[in-house]
Amino acid sequence: MSTVAVLVETRSGEVTQPTFEALTLARTLGTPVAVWIGAAPEPAELARLGVYGAEEVRVVPAGDDARVPAAAAAALGAATQDAAVVVMVSTFVNKEVATRLALATGAGVVVDAAGAELVDGHVETLQTVFAATWNVRTRIAAERAIVAVRPNTTQAIAGETPGAATLVEVGAELPETREAIVAIEPVPAPEGVPLAEAPVVVSGGRGTNGDYTLVRELADVLGGAVGASRDATDEGWISHEHMVGQTGTTVTPALYVACGISGAVHHRGGMQASGTVVAVNIDPDAPIFEIADFGVVGDLGDVLPQAIARIHEHRAG
Ligand SMILES: Cc1cc2nc3c(=O)[nH]c(=O)nc-3n(C[C@H](O)[C@H](O)[C@H](O)COP(=O)(O)OP(=O)(O)OC[C@H]3O[C@@H](n4cnc5c(N)ncnc54)[C@H](O)[C@@H]3O)c2cc1C
């Protein structure tokens, strides 16, 4: 089986859930190894990578400068010379890392993939494009494939025979870059799970009339993140980091609940590829119902408290 390298994403030193999804996908393509750029991982993180199938964790020791995509691509390139496939999470920065690495190695690259499989010895990826109105299957004809996958498109499952991952240090010469990182300061994270990675997103629009109490409560009870339409963020009802859509964050959760959102094309472009879409709206002709798997015509003030109460009952029973 050929080597499939997975670039590890971390937050505060901990491996993120989308990395485990990428490792789960990598197991279907070959033998996964994880690539960790930065200070060596804590033993607990090494163990978690092993649980999801990484046989080896290749550490490229590097400082904050390796966050610049040109440097990250060089570090990743040094650690993946034997890999037939490189998988990473499709973040804003990684899309540049993926394309730079492809350019340097002659690999074929697909970003924003929703999955990948081996067909006749080639990697084929799935994508939803043009505001999720088309599904595209792409075959990577080059010998090496680089695939950036969207969060929540593969379910993270622990390996059947999870073992301890071996730590291997890899040296890399990082190039001089035209940008230099001067300082990195964490911005206080918006409440709960980050929007782009959340398995459940509950979004509120103009129909909330500025009161997000019920939307937050439903998101909380479902363990999800809070999203919003642009009208709601423009009104200043909720901060712009919560905006979902063409000019906001693209989300692909397993469950997307649109509360008091009409379903304008600009909003749909950022959420239409979600697994199951539920909409609550007083207007039965709201365009959001055209793409909803489950629609409730009703006032948020009536519907959401009932939904929250039933979920609590269900959990208790
Ligand atoms: C270039 C451009 C880029 C854009 N990018 C984005 C983007 O990224 N994301 C985005 O969201 N928008 C974006 N927009 C704006 C977009 O076109 C819409 O204007 C916006 O999405 C509408 O927000 P909304 O659905 O909250 O409001 P509305 O369209 O006003 O809809 C509110 C809905 O709430 C329902 N409602 C009202 N009261 C209740 C109630 N009590 N209970 C239940 N339902 C109720 C109404 O029936 C209605 O359907 C963009 C626009 C442009 C021009």
Side-chain angles (χ1 to χ4, degrees):
M1 290 248 271
S2 43
T3 300
V4 180
V6 174
L7 177 61
V8 176
E9 294 297 310
T10 57
R11 192 173 304 112
S12 310
E14 288 187 8
V15 180
T16 63
Q17 186 65 11
T19 304
F20 297 128
E21 296 166 10
L23 271 170
T24 306
L25 177 68
R27 294 207 307 270
T28 66
L29 303 173
T31 306
V33 300
V35 178
W36 181 294
I37 302 174
E42 293 292 327
E45 298 312 302
L46 196 63
R48 290 172 81 208
L49 290 168
V51 166
Y52 284 89
E55 303 215 336
E56 205 173 275
V57 177
R58 298 177 181 175
V59 180
V60 185
D64 285 341
D65 279 348
R67 293 175 188 236
V68 174
L76 184 58
T80 58
Q81 285 172 16
D82 60 332
V85 186
V86 178
V87 180
M88 63 189 85
V89 183
S90 204
T91 62
F92 193 74
V93 168
N94 280 354
K95 290 185 211 181
E96 186 177 336
V97 173
T99 43
R100 281 179 179 276
L101 184 60
L103 202 61
T105 59
V109 62
V110 173
V111 300
D112 280 342
E117 58 185 352
L118 277 181
V119 180
D120 300 333
H122 288 278
V123 171
E124 285 191 3
T125 62
L126 305 168
Q127 284 165 291
T128 51
V129 300
F130 298 133
T133 51
W134 291 81
N135 290 326
V136 177
R137 177 176 274 270
T138 308
R139 172 175 288 205
I140 298 181
E143 274 184 22
R144 297 190 81 202
I146 300 174
V147 182
V149 278
R150 281 188 168 160
N152 293 310
T153 50
T154 301
Q155 195 190 350
I157 298 171
E160 275 174 20
T161 49
T166 327
L167 197 146
V168 179
E169 198 172 301
V170 178
E173 232 173 81
L174 302 190
E176 291 272 320
T177 53
R178 280 175 285 182
E179 326 83 318
I181 291 178
V182 177
I184 295 178
E185 290 163 18
V187 175
E191 59 228 88
V193 203
L195 196 53
E197 292 173 22
V200 176
V201 174
V202 182
S203 285
R206 191 173 279 287
T208 61
N209 211 14
D211 184 353
Y212 272 73
T213 315
L214 289 170
V215 170
R216 284 204 167 90
E217 218 176 314
L218 183 60
D220 248 17
V221 77
L222 291 171
V226 175
S229 69
R230 177 159 153 183
D231 281 23
T233 59
D234 282 355
E235 288 286 355
W237 294 340
I238 184 162
S239 62
H240 276 91
E241 300 89 76
H242 293 272
M243 196 214 298
V244 170
Q246 184 181 307
T247 41
T249 304
T250 297
V251 297
T252 45
L255 172 65
Y256 186 86
V257 189
C259 307
I261 291 179
S262 59
V265 66
H266 306 103
H267 186 82
R268 287 157 60 154
M271 47 64 69
Q272 200 158 336
S274 303
T276 299
V277 175
V278 174
V280 183
N281 200 302
I282 40 168
D283 176 5
D285 296 322
I288 192 77
F289 288 129
E290 290 165 16
I291 57 155
D293 298 288
F294 185 80
V296 183
V297 178
D299 192 304
L300 296 178
D302 290 336
V303 179
L304 297 197
Q306 291 182 57
I308 293 163
R310 289 307 297 268
I311 295 166
H312 280 307
E313 271 170 41
H314 181 72
R315 298 250 163 94

